[in-house]
Structures are given as C-alpha cells and as structure tokens.
Amino acid sequence: MINLVVLISGSGSNLQALIDACAAGTIDARIAAVISNRPNAFGLERARQAGVAAHCIDHTEYGSREEFDCQLQQQIDHYQPDLVVLAGFMRILTPAFTRHYLGRMLNIHPSLLPKYPGLNTHQRALDAGDASHGVTVHFVTPELDGGPNVVQAIVPVLPADDAAALARRVLAQEHVIYPLAVSWFAEGRLQMDDNRCLLDGQPLPASGYIIDSRR
C-alpha cells in the first residue's frame, strides 16, 4: 500500500473519487493528507469527513512563488508520500518543486493534451469546432501541462453543447481515469522513465492509454 498526498484548490470532486476508490480497495493506497492553497476549498471538508488530515497553505500569505512552494514541499514531505496527486490544484509550480517530485507526481487536465494547455479548455474546444474533447492524466514536469501522458478519455462534442455541458461530460470521465492511473502507480505498473510513460514495462504512445467514451 502506498502513501498519497493530494493537492486541491476547490470543491475536490476528483479527490472524492480517489477517497472512494481507496475505501473500496480499488486503489491499494491511503491518502495521508490533503493540502489546499485556498482556505475555503470544500475539498478540505471532504478530507475531514473521510478522516484524512487536511491542511491549508494560503498562497496569498507568501511573497513569491518560490517561498510558497518551499513551504508546500515541507508540508508534503512530512507525510513521506510515494505519489503526489494534483486534483484541481490551480497553481503553477516552480521547476525546483516539480523536479523534487519528478516521476512521482500526477496531474489531471481537462483537454486532450497537448491540445489546450492552461485554462478555459472547454470553450477553446468549442471555439475551434472540435468534434471530440476530453481529459488527460499526465506526469508533472517543469513544462506546464507538458509531462508525458498516462491516460486520456475522449468524449464527443455535441451540437447543443456549451462549455458547462461539455465540462460535465468531461468531469464524469475524470472520475474514471484518475483512480485508474493512481491504481496503476500503486500496483507498480506505471512509471516515468526518460520522459516517457511505461505501463507494465512497455512504453505508452504519446497520447497515453486511450479510453474512448464516444463508442
């Protein structure tokens, strides 16, 4: 069983999916702590309800990104995690921080990376007239949303979609693929090597493992 630390900034729906999967035994892991950069994040309450240590390190109290990341790293390392999981953590992390956790930090991003790194991904997909959209779990590297892909879920873009409707469809798949990726890591099946993802010792394609919900 591995130790997880989960970083959040908001409601924590992906955190809840991980809590539920750990409780069900789907993931052979325990969530040692949840840390938020926002004191009012509802995900902190989800953690407390699950009996998980919940901490806030308010980024507004620090004079620089480096100072905040240093404090965050100290709090994370107190729990000696095998894996750090970013679950809606809305901070750009410094290169020193990401290098410290290289190969043992995952993020989930609501687009089919490398398309649409950054924010407003659903509206950007609609504005581009994309027929498909989705979500990616990837390892974190110093490049923003640029680490190697682990798994992607593809969803259709429907004619009546607005950004909110598309976001709901993507979120449902987030709750599927994030526990899946974390379970692979917990089982020793997933690793990052030379900026590539290996699953069961075999390199994954650049897109990662694909789950296509359009079928």
Side-chain angles (χ1 to χ4, degrees):
M1 179 175 289
I2 68 168
N3 244 13
L4 307 178
V5 169
V6 182
L7 307 186
I8 62 165
S9 293
S11 69
S13 69
N14 274 305
L15 167 64
Q16 190 65 56
L18 295 170
I19 289 171
D20 293 345
C22 289
T26 308
I27 302 175
D28 188 18
R30 64 180 288 271
I31 301 176
V34 172
I35 304 171
S36 174
N37 66 307
R38 293 177 177 167
N40 60 348
F42 182 67
L44 292 171
E45 181 59 28
R46 293 183 190 270
R48 295 184 189 106
Q49 290 175 5
V52 174
H55 302 280
C56 176
I57 301 175
D58 189 342
H59 67 276
T60 64
E61 296 178 358
Y62 294 84
S64 70
R65 201 175 295 278
E66 289 75 14
E67 289 177 21
F68 170 79
D69 280 7
C70 182
Q71 183 61 42
L72 178 61
Q73 181 177 313
Q74 288 181 23
Q75 184 69 77
I76 294 170
D77 288 351
H78 172 76
Y79 290 97
Q80 299 181 313
D82 300 286
L83 181 67
V84 178
V85 182
L86 309 184
F89 188 63
M90 304 302 290
R91 294 284 299 169
I92 295 175
L93 298 166
T94 57
F97 183 92
T98 58
R99 282 193 293 269
H100 181 70
Y101 298 107
L102 198 63
R104 54 193 184 105
M105 183 160 58
L106 294 175
N107 184 45
I108 191 162
H109 182 76
S111 78
L112 298 174
L113 291 171
K115 293 184 81 170
Y116 312 129
L119 302 176
N120 303 317
T121 60
H122 310 304
Q123 189 60 54
R124 289 159 69 188
L126 291 171
D127 291 346
D130 291 351
S132 299
H133 187 44
V135 57
T136 305
V137 176
H138 65 95
F139 278 102
V140 177
T141 64
E143 181 185 357
L144 177 65
D145 297 329
N149 291 349
V150 175
V151 54
Q152 291 187 328
I154 303 173
V155 303
V157 178
L158 304 179
D161 274 344
D162 58 13
L166 187 53
R168 286 192 294 271
R169 194 174 308 114
V170 169
L171 186 63
Q173 293 302 312
E174 292 182 30
H175 298 163
V176 173
I177 69 169
Y178 220 178
L180 176 64
V182 174
S183 72
W184 287 343
F185 190 94
E187 293 163 7
R189 299 177 58 195
L190 174 68
Q191 63 185 109
M192 189 179 94
D193 180 63
D194 194 25
N195 209 43
R196 298 180 307 166
C197 282
L198 303 181
L199 183 62
D200 297 327
Q202 299 300 313
L204 287 170
S207 57
Y209 185 93
I210 297 295
I211 295 175
D212 194 339
S213 69
R214 296 172 299 180
R215 299 168 183 166

